[in-house]
């Protein structure tokens, strides 16, 4: 169950961050509300995850996968540059999450 709530937290955080991009500095109502709701849901689900998973592992997965997902979304859909350094960075973030999981995510 911990991984399911963590996946939900990651999705909500990615949606919140993407909404933040479209809020134009919180000057647009609906994307601003999307940011608020996304992060509220993300933190509630992350808190639920921490009932069954170690905080260091859960937070590293949440932050790492969220960061990699937002970077890919930025490059694929928001016109951000995609270069070798960025792609290697995303791969390294994902590799770090995998290594943490191999160490045990009780």
């Amino acid at each position: 169950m911990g991984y399911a709530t963590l996946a939900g937290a990651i999705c909500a955080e990615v949606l919140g961050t993407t909404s933040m991009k479209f809020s134009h500095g919180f000057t647009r109502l609906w994307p601003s509300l999307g940011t608020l709701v996304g992060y509220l849901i993300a933190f509630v689900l992350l808190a639920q995850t921490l009932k069954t998973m170690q905080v260091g592992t859960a937070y590293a997965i949440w932050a790492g996968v969220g960061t990699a997902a937002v970077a890919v979304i930025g490059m694929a859909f928001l016109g951000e540059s995609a270069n070798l350094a960025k792609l290697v960075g995303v791969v390294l973030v994902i590799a770090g999450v995998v290594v943490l999981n191999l160490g045990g995510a009780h």
Side-chain angles (χ1 to χ4, degrees):
M1 187 65 168
Y3 282 106
T5 56
L6 184 56
I10 292 166
C11 289
E13 187 265 336
V14 168
L15 289 171
T17 301
T18 304
S19 294
M20 190 184 308
K21 169 69 174 170
F22 293 108
S23 78
H24 291 274
F26 298 112
T27 60
R28 294 187 175 164
L29 177 63
W30 294 112
S32 298
L33 290 176
T35 301
L36 179 67
V37 170
Y39 274 97
L40 178 63
I41 292 169
F43 283 119
V44 167
L45 291 175
L46 182 61
Q48 294 303 309
T49 300
L50 296 179
K51 290 180 179 179
T52 59
M53 191 179 288
Q54 295 175 0
V55 68
T57 301
Y59 189 76
I61 294 169
W62 181 66
V65 172
T67 299
V70 170
V72 169
I73 288 168
M75 289 182 279
F77 302 108
L78 301 177
E80 296 179 9
S81 65
N83 57 46
L84 183 59
K86 283 187 178 182
L87 296 174
V88 168
V90 169
V91 169
L92 289 173
V93 167
I94 294 168
V97 169
V98 169
V99 170
L100 279 170
N101 275 297
L102 292 175
H106 305 49

